[in-house]
Amino acid sequence: MRDLEKYFEEIKSGKIKDYVVLGMSEDGETTIYINGRSPVCDGLIREAQIKATNHFENNLSKNELRKFLGDLS
C-alpha cells in the first residue's frame, strides 16, 4: 500500500502525467480513471493486461485456473 501512496503523491505533484487507475470494490463495481495522452494510456492498459495474464498463469494451480475459467472441455 505504501508504494501506491507514493505513486499518488507523484501524480498530485505532477511528476506522473499519464496514468490509468483500475479498481474494484467488494461488491464488484469497477472503477477506471484515465488521465493523459491516449497512446500512452493505451500502452499502460495493454501492459496491465499482460501483467495480469502472467500473474494468473504463474500463481494459480491448474485446479484453481479451471475454477476461475470454468470447465472448457
Side-chain angles (χ1 to χ4, degrees), residues 38-63:
S38 179
V40 175
C41 291
D42 185 48
L44 292 170
I45 292 168
R46 288 178 194 268
E47 184 67 23
Q49 288 174 319
I50 291 167
K51 287 186 177 188
T53 298
N54 290 340
H55 174 78
F56 280 112
E57 288 176 351
N58 293 328
N59 292 309
L60 292 178
S61 70
K62 286 184 181 182
N63 190 36

Side-chain angles (χ1 to χ4, degrees), residues 19-72:
Y19 53 92
V20 177
V21 178
L22 306 171
M24 181 178 284
S25 65
E26 288 183 16
D27 64 358
E29 185 175 335
T30 303
T31 300
I32 302 172
Y33 185 79
I34 300 171
N35 185 64
R37 297 164 289 170
S38 179
V40 175
C41 291
D42 185 48
L44 292 170
I45 292 168
R46 288 178 194 268
E47 184 67 23
Q49 288 174 319
I50 291 167
K51 287 186 177 188
T53 298
N54 290 340
H55 174 78
F56 280 112
E57 288 176 351
N58 293 328
N59 292 309
L60 292 178
S61 70
K62 286 184 181 182
N63 190 36
E64 289 173 318
L65 189 58
R66 281 191 190 110
K67 284 168 80 176
F68 181 72
L69 297 174
D71 187 10
L72 302 176

